[in-house]
Amino acid sequence: MKKLLAPLKNNGGAVGSIPLMFFMLIASIFLYLGIDLYGYIVQQQKLTVATNELLEVVKAENGYDSVNREQFDRLIQKSGIDPTRVTLTATPKRVARGETVEIETSMVYECIGLKPFGETVKLPIRVKANGLAHTFFR
């Protein structure tokens, strides 16, 4: 019985566990920051793809209107982005063939890696695409 209780009486190992717990705290924060960085890159790629898809439609229709916004909202919703968080500005309809059409989308990505310290970092994501209108009007 004394052999079983001997590790409970020896407190020498408790001092070595404090730096280990501190290291695990710092390592987990860096892991969360790495995950946030990956999430930021993925969200930016999704928004870039959706913006480029919308640009092709806008180039074919010689401008942007509310129907295009509905298409864009459905597309980004399928990719997992909330459409209410995305702002979109674009060249309105009736642009002549060969003139430039532009689309600019933006959203805010919220990083949660520093939440153990009570901090929330918000990073902007902006995507801008432009091209030439295709359809000829007479």
Side-chain angles (χ1 to χ4, degrees):
M1 186 68 144
K2 287 184 180 183
K3 286 185 178 183
L4 293 175
L5 296 176
L8 296 176
K9 292 180 182 179
N10 183 4
N11 293 331
V15 175
S17 65
I18 291 173
L20 177 65
M21 287 190 289
F22 184 71
F23 171 75
M24 289 181 60
L25 172 69
I26 299 299
S28 65
I29 289 171
F30 279 117
L31 181 67
Y32 281 132
L33 289 175
I35 291 170
D36 274 340
L37 178 65
Y38 176 73
Y40 177 83
I41 292 170
V42 167
Q43 291 287 72
Q44 186 177 24
Q45 288 175 345
K46 288 178 181 179
L47 194 60
T48 301
V49 168
T51 303
N52 288 335
E53 291 292 326
L54 179 63
L55 178 65
E56 293 301 318
V57 173
V58 168
K59 286 185 338 186
E61 295 182 3
N62 287 24
Y64 168 81
D65 63 359
S66 61
V67 174
N68 300 126
R69 176 62 194 218
E70 292 171 7
Q71 294 170 338
F72 180 74
D73 286 348
R74 284 194 305 269
L75 180 62
I76 62 172
Q77 201 168 24
K78 285 181 183 177
S79 65
I81 299 175
D82 184 14
T84 59
R85 294 178 47 211
V86 177
T87 58
L88 179 114
T89 57
T91 306
K93 282 233 185 217
R94 294 310 208 196
V95 176
R97 182 179 185 204
E99 289 188 22
T100 304
V101 289
E102 293 182 351
I103 298 174
E104 186 173 342
T105 57
S106 63
M107 67 178 288
V108 176
Y109 181 78
E110 189 174 315
C111 296
I112 60 169
L114 296 176
K115 259 200 171 157
F117 296 119
E119 294 290 324
T120 302
V121 178
K122 294 183 179 183
L123 300 172
I125 300 175
R126 289 188 186 100
V127 178
K128 189 173 186 178
N130 57 17
L132 300 176
H134 291 289
T135 308
F136 181 71
F137 292 117
R138 291 186 183 221

